[in-house]
Amino acid sequence: MTSRIAVVGATGTLGTFIVDLIGRTPDLELHAGLSSRDDLDRIVGADLVVDVTHPAVSPGIVEHAVRAGIPVLVGTSGWSSERIAKLSTVVADVAGPGVLVVPNFSLGSVLATRFATMAARFYESVEIVEAHHQGKVDSPSGTAVRTAELIAEARRDLGPVSAPSSDQRARGQQVASVPIHSMRLRGVVAKQEVVFGGEGETLTLTHDTLSPRAYEQGLLVALAATPGITGVVVGLDRVLPLD
């Protein structure tokens, strides 16, 4: 059965890539390609909505789709735990379809974050350095925020990460006690380093995105999984067989 997909943010870099991927994939069909300024009622009739827009408008787009009864795959950054909690309330109130929020579609990035949560139990000194292209509008990145939150969760019974001199502005923005340092540079697609410090050693987990092709396999997994989602699910790892 062919799945009809509406892409909101279709004119952006990731949106353009997704539209092309849909065109190359059997059993997927582009129902509509919209910019964030287009009439959202054009999504009506789609089996799935993909939101890859801007943090400022993404919540309204996602809520519109949920209230229209259409499952949503969110690839827009900036979805904090507070925003996700509000969305969960909306989905529950309207008994709406499920929403899958994916901070990063790269399988390598998902695995690097999983490895970081494993290491977090053994190190209390942790910092994240992330770099993206100069056009990325938010910082820290959604991937860095998600990584920090999962590190904190992994350390729930051990205590927060040690982040000395947090009052110094150059020490990075703390998310769940983890300092995050963001760079926006020409020539970069995406890169994240999670650095763990221990007695007499450091451990660095690095993931580099070299081209948008890195997102292809994860996108296909997410597109297939989203219609079966119940409630709000965060992370590509939640629909991958990692355990």
Side-chain angles (χ1 to χ4, degrees):
M1 180 181 296
T2 299
S3 180
R4 298 165 297 175
I5 301 172
V7 179
V8 187
T11 57
T13 301
L14 182 56
T16 301
F17 181 81
I18 293 172
V19 168
D20 177 71
L21 179 61
I22 291 170
R24 294 186 282 110
T25 304
D27 301 327
L28 296 182
E29 175 185 316
L30 183 65
H31 173 76
L34 294 74
S35 77
S36 60
R37 297 180 297 276
D38 288 336
D39 183 357
L40 290 178
D41 286 339
R42 289 176 57 194
I43 68 174
V44 174
D47 300 309
L48 172 67
V49 171
V50 179
D51 166 58
V52 281
T53 54
H54 187 284
V57 299
S58 179
I61 292 168
V62 175
E63 181 172 344
H64 187 95
V66 167
R67 293 189 182 281
I70 307 172
V72 189
L73 171 60
V74 181
T76 303
S77 276
W79 277 84
S80 63
S81 55
E82 291 80 12
R83 281 190 169 187
I84 290 167
K86 290 179 181 179
L87 176 60
S88 297
T89 300
V90 171
V91 171
D93 285 348
V94 302
V99 179
L100 176 60
V101 181
V102 178
N104 196 311
F105 290 103
S106 162
L107 297 186
S109 176
V110 171
L111 290 171
T113 294
R114 174 59 68 94
F115 299 153
T117 62
M118 294 169 61
R121 295 175 51 247
F122 301 95
Y123 298 91
E124 67 173 19
S125 182
V126 187
E127 305 206 11
I128 298 173
V129 181
E130 58 95 354
H132 283 78
H133 57 89
Q134 63 177 0
K136 185 171 177 59
V137 297
D138 62 312
S139 64
S141 69
T143 302
V145 170
R146 176 68 173 162
T147 302
E149 291 175 343
L150 289 174
I151 286 172
E153 183 178 327
R155 292 187 53 82
R156 182 185 304 151
D157 298 330
L158 300 170
V161 163
S162 173
S165 305
S166 59
D167 58 323
Q168 298 175 8
R169 294 183 62 187
R171 291 287 298 116
Q173 176 180 327
Q174 285 195 22
V175 175
S177 81
V178 181
I180 302 178
H181 310 268
S182 297
M183 297 186 291
R184 299 292 175 261
L185 299 168
R186 293 179 180 176
V188 176
V189 178
K191 181 175 183 176
Q192 177 167 289
E193 294 182 337
V194 186
V195 185
F196 298 88
E199 296 299 327
E201 66 175 359
T202 60
L203 169 65
T204 303
L205 298 173
T206 302
H207 177 260
D208 277 294
T209 302
L210 305 179
S211 84
R213 289 294 303 274
Y215 307 134
E216 188 165 309
Q217 190 173 354
L219 273 164
L220 292 174
V221 169
L223 289 169
T226 301
I229 293 293
T230 300
V232 180
V233 173
V234 181
L236 187 62
D237 56 299
R238 297 286 300 279
V239 295
L240 288 172
L242 296 180
D243 296 317

